[in-house]
Amino acid sequence: MADILTPALGESVTEATIGKWTKKAGDPVKKDEVLVELETDKVSLEVVSPSDGMLAEIKFAEGETVTPNAVLGVVSEGGAAAAPAAPKAEAAPAAPAAAEAPAAAPAASGGDAVAINVPTMGESVAEGSMGTWLKKSGDTVAKDELLVEIETDKVAVEVSAPAAGVLTILADAGATVTPNQQIGSIAASGAAAAAAPAPAAASANAGSAQITSDAPHLSPAVQRVVTENNLDPKAIAATGPKGNITKGDALAAIGAAAPTAAPAPAAAPAAPRADQPREERVKMTRLRQTIARRLKESQNTAAQLTTFNEVDMTNVMALRAQYKDVFEKRHGVKLGFMSFFTKAVVAALHEIPAVNAEIDGTDIIYKNHYDIGVAVGTDKGLVVPVLRDADTLSLAGIERGIGALGKAARDGSLTLDQLQGGTFTITNGGTYGSLMSTPILNAPQSGILGMHNIVQRPMAINGEVKIRPMMYIALSYDHRIVDGKEAVTFLVRVKELLEDPARALLDL
């Protein structure tokens, strides 16, 4: 048997939603064949089969929420799928099956001990501290039963039993551990397997197992919240995998317990309103929920302000029209406006470093690298992949990089690394016909440039009225770190470089 595990989801991603299974239980599968798609608040991830065999079991249905290293399903290798069927067949006779089950169990679960390893704890998390084990060495555990919680400086990671058997602990509570380090093992045992198929045997062991299963397993962090607030674990609605109570569930129970005198009014605001005729209710995707949350967090955190200017695009358009054919023939990519804007932005960031910085607590982090986020609209929502080291790229390199990121965004194949670490963002509402807008900061960045539609407008030039292709540009910035003078200077610098592209060549 091979478990299908939820992969690491990224530094700030703690859960995912089952999108779609491509196979049904009982279907044959091949190694590395895509079995299920997971949707996170940033990207969609494909999970493949760990081996050849048959999809013996699906543990999470479409739409359910899972966490890193959760067992999504089981693939039986070769003829192993037939093994679970034998105990079920023997369970039909009442007394004889109960007597034969213990003898059959060791054969089904025999083999080497299964290691319990520390899961991946996040991109920048290198170690964690062991919490209190919920079982002792020598105890019998069931598969997927919560064993211990590992606390890091960012999140608490729950570790469940990878198989049923007898537990051996290798890392004590309080010990410092690293990802993939072995912290225990589970040896195959018939005792754990025998308890499950014979709940009606009325033995002392079966009875105690039933009592234990009625009481929810609490991780140390959850136990602390429950104890400090005198909560009843059985009264807490569990939303974690396998019915486990998460710390968020316990905290939510505290808020629900406060207005005990009038529970009905408290529940009224949470209830969705009744749907009206010709309306359709659709659940927000995880990506859309995250977009909404992050944009609102950005507004609530930063002192956002927007300054505007306008750019005469005559020279850039003439330069593009003159060289676009030979450019595409030479470099194999079309010459667009984004490369000119990216070059102008990087030059302006060199001169006004505050716009390329971010606030971290009471510190300002000035970044001496220029990783430009490019907002891309997709069918699932807005994403901002990052063009790395834009200051080292040529116009062709920028166009090639943006084109590849845009294609990956539309295909849904962006990786987490491609979505993290940007220092400044450019968004182009002009592709949809926007004349002017006030873009929202992509936290924790301190600046975002908004491009808009190019419109022929009459302009006064040297005392004459001439028709010129004009674009409004907008810079939204965090006024906590960027002063008005710096913001205006930045935008004027971008305007100058676009209206006279030769300035960039002459470093003026």
Side-chain angles (χ1 to χ4, degrees):
M1 295 288 216
D3 290 336
I4 307 167
L5 300 177
T6 305
L9 303 175
E11 177 181 347
S12 59
V13 183
T14 58
E15 61 182 17
T17 301
I18 300 291
K20 180 182 179 182
W21 284 92
T22 61
K23 296 284 186 177
K24 301 187 298 293
D27 286 353
V29 298
K30 295 182 180 180
K31 185 177 181 180
D32 295 330
E33 181 179 3
V34 176
L35 298 182
V36 62
E37 183 178 275
L38 304 180
E39 292 184 357
T40 74
D41 51 13
K42 293 186 176 179
V43 294
S44 295
L45 301 175
E46 292 180 341
V47 181
V48 300
S49 175
S51 62
D52 293 334
M54 182 184 77
L55 182 56
E57 183 181 3
I58 292 177
K59 294 182 177 291
F60 290 91
E62 294 178 3
E64 290 192 286
T65 300
V66 295
T67 55
N69 286 317
V71 179
L72 304 177
V74 178
V75 173
S76 62
E77 301 174 356
K88 291 184 179 179
E90 295 174 9
E100 294 173 8
S109 57
D112 297 335
V114 179
I116 306 171
N117 295 327
V118 178
T120 302
M121 297 179 288
E123 181 178 305
S124 60
V125 181
E127 62 182 19
S129 297
M130 293 293 297
T132 302
W133 284 87
L134 304 179
K135 295 284 187 175
K136 301 186 296 292
S137 286
D139 284 355
T140 298
V141 299
K143 185 176 180 180
D144 296 328
E145 182 177 358
L146 183 61
L147 299 180
V148 66
E149 184 178 82
I150 301 175
E151 296 184 356
T152 74
D153 55 0
K154 293 186 176 181
V155 294
V157 180
E158 295 179 343
V159 180
S160 300
V166 178
L167 172 66
T168 299
I169 295 175
L170 301 179
D172 295 330
T176 299
V177 294
T178 56
N180 294 317
Q181 175 182 335
Q182 185 175 352
I183 57 176
S185 64
I186 295 179
S189 169
S203 67
N205 288 340
S208 62
Q210 285 180 332
I211 293 172
T212 303
S213 63
D214 290 339
H217 291 294
L218 304 180
S219 67
V222 175
Q223 183 66 60
R224 191 180 307 119
V225 176
V226 169
T227 303
E228 291 175 355
N229 295 275
N230 297 320
L231 299 175
D232 180 5
K234 295 181 181 180
I236 300 175
T239 62
K242 300 303 177 185
N244 291 332
I245 297 174
T246 66
K247 187 175 181 180
D249 297 335
L251 294 174
I254 298 174
T260 53
R273 70 170 179 82
D275 293 342
Q276 301 299 317
R278 293 180 292 179
E279 291 183 345
E280 179 185 6
R281 183 182 296 273
V282 178
K283 184 176 177 60
M284 293 173 67
T285 64
R286 187 169 295 277
L287 176 61
R288 175 56 58 188
Q289 293 178 43
T290 301
I291 292 171
R293 187 186 73 251
R294 285 180 57 84
L295 290 177
K296 192 58 184 172
E297 286 175 353
S298 177
Q299 284 186 324
N300 293 341
T301 301
Q304 296 199 38
L305 191 63
T306 304
T307 185
F308 300 91
N309 213 314
E310 57 183 355
V311 178
D312 185 343
M313 297 291 291
T314 300
N315 291 332
V316 168
M317 293 178 69
L319 189 65
R320 178 172 177 264
Q322 182 178 356
Y323 293 106
K324 65 178 182 179
D325 292 336
V326 65
F327 185 92
E328 183 176 4
K329 184 177 180 180
R330 172 75 177 272
H331 300 289
V333 64
K334 292 182 179 180
L335 178 62
F337 293 122
M338 281 300 298
S339 53
F340 291 100
F341 273 86
T342 302
K343 279 288 189 182
V345 162
V346 169
L349 291 174
H350 272 288
E351 296 184 23
I352 314 294
V355 185
N356 201 48
E358 73 175 61
I359 292 178
D360 183 22
T362 58
D363 299 327
I364 297 176
I365 301 177
Y366 290 97
K367 301 177 181 180
N368 298 316
H369 54 99
Y370 303 89
D371 299 330
I372 307 300
V374 181
V376 179
T378 70
D379 293 338
K380 293 184 177 180
L382 181 72
V383 292
V384 187
V386 179
L387 183 68
R388 305 289 179 188
D389 299 318
D391 57 318
T392 65
L393 300 176
S394 63
L395 292 176
I398 293 172
E399 292 291 353
R400 194 175 294 112
I402 291 176
L405 291 173
K407 183 179 185 301
R410 289 184 289 272
D411 293 344
S413 59
L414 286 173
T415 65
L416 288 173
D417 182 63
Q418 291 174 310
L419 292 166
Q420 297 175 343
T423 63
F424 185 89
T425 296
I426 301 176
T427 178
N428 185 6
T431 57
Y432 307 107
S434 173
L435 182 64
M436 184 180 291
S437 66
T438 56
I440 299 176
L441 288 175
N442 184 17
Q445 298 172 17
S446 296
I448 178 171
L449 179 73
M451 299 167 54
H452 299 95
N453 197 18
I454 300 175
V455 178
Q456 296 284 338
R457 290 195 286 118
M459 302 295 296
I461 300 174
N462 297 326
E464 297 179 353
V465 176
K466 295 186 178 181
I467 306 300
R468 291 295 180 93
M470 304 298 297
M471 176 193 288
Y472 288 115
I473 55 175
L475 174 71
S476 291
Y477 60 97
D478 189 345
H479 212 345
R480 296 177 301 166
I481 183 174
V482 181
D483 293 331
K485 175 185 176 182
E486 293 174 309
V488 172
T489 302
F490 175 92
L491 207 56
V492 168
R493 185 64 175 139
V494 171
K495 169 185 169 70
E496 291 174 346
L497 290 168
L498 291 170
E499 291 185 340
D500 188 3
R503 283 176 170 269
L505 292 175
L506 298 174
D507 195 21
L508 297 177

